[in-house]
Amino acid sequence: MPGLELACHYYTASRHNVGGDFYDVFSLPDGRWAFFLGDVCGHGAPAAALTSLTRYTLRSAAAHDPGPITVLTELNTALLDDPVARYRFATVVFGVLDPDPEQADTFTVTLGTGGHEAPLKIVARAAGDGCDVTEVRAATTGMLVGAVPDAEFAVCRVRLEAGQALLLHTDGLTETAVDDGRFGGEGLVRLLTRARTASAHSIVGSTVARIDEFAPAPKDDIALLALRVPPSSG
């Protein structure tokens, strides 16, 4: 994606049972770019089939109208209309990136959420002593996708400037049990706050390193997607 760093990772909880986490990044017909990350309920072949339908529908819907609410609404309809998928649902974050025409190295990200955990905005401190981490959250998280007709989804916008990053993840990360409790959103924020750099690869790398330390190992798949505007060379 021009003007952005990307990094991703997929942690597989089981070699014998297919999970339902997914992500994608793709160009739009108007020259902009879109991305999504999500999780369908269940495991095994039914989850894999639902994941395939979800990814295809998101791409297809975005090709003719990339508005996040419109895209999630079309996915909701597709899942409810499918005779197999109608008994399952998904959580999804869908985003569109718009370069700022008046300021280089700056993007406006429009996010639509359907029942998914909030992405995290990560900004490295100028002093080099860690990062500031905040949730990118609308008034609500939106409703699950594919659960009910006429579902309502949430939308919000975030500005990404040079050196700033966005991390999307599935709940296999935050729901993992560590030290007789959950790793949780608080654990993830603490981890990222200690990072010395906010590059996409370092964000994903430090998160994967923490996942590898979990004991017991996560019981659910984990998907990670990081997007970062590199620091200005000027």
Side-chain angles (χ1 to χ4, degrees), residues 65-82:
D65 186 346
I69 297 300
T70 301
V71 169
L72 293 177
T73 299
E74 287 206 28
L75 175 60
N76 192 68
T77 300
L79 296 185
L80 289 171
D81 286 347
D82 187 272

Side-chain angles (χ1 to χ4, degrees), residues 25-49:
V25 180
F26 56 99
S27 60
L28 296 170
D30 62 8
R32 294 182 297 169
W33 287 73
F35 60 91
F36 57 76
L37 178 142
D39 185 8
V40 305
C41 69
H43 295 84

Side-chain angles (χ1 to χ4, degrees), residues 5-6 36 46 63 85 94 110 131 133 147-148 151 157 185 188 215 227 231-232:
E5 298 174 351
L6 298 176
F36 57 76
F94 179 89
T110 305
C131 297
V133 182
V148 297
R157 290 178 176 82
L188 179 57
L227 309 91
S232 175

Side-chain angles (χ1 to χ4, degrees), residues 1-7 97 105 107 122-124 160-167 196-203 225-232:
M1 184 185 303
L4 285 175
E5 298 174 351
L6 298 176
L97 289 139
D105 304 320
F107 291 81
I122 304 156
V123 182
L160 280 186
E161 301 178 352
Q164 300 180 354
L166 196 66
L167 175 66
R196 295 187 177 182
T197 173
S199 75
H201 290 281
S202 67
I203 290 168
L225 175 64
L227 309 91
R228 184 219 193 188
V229 183
S232 175

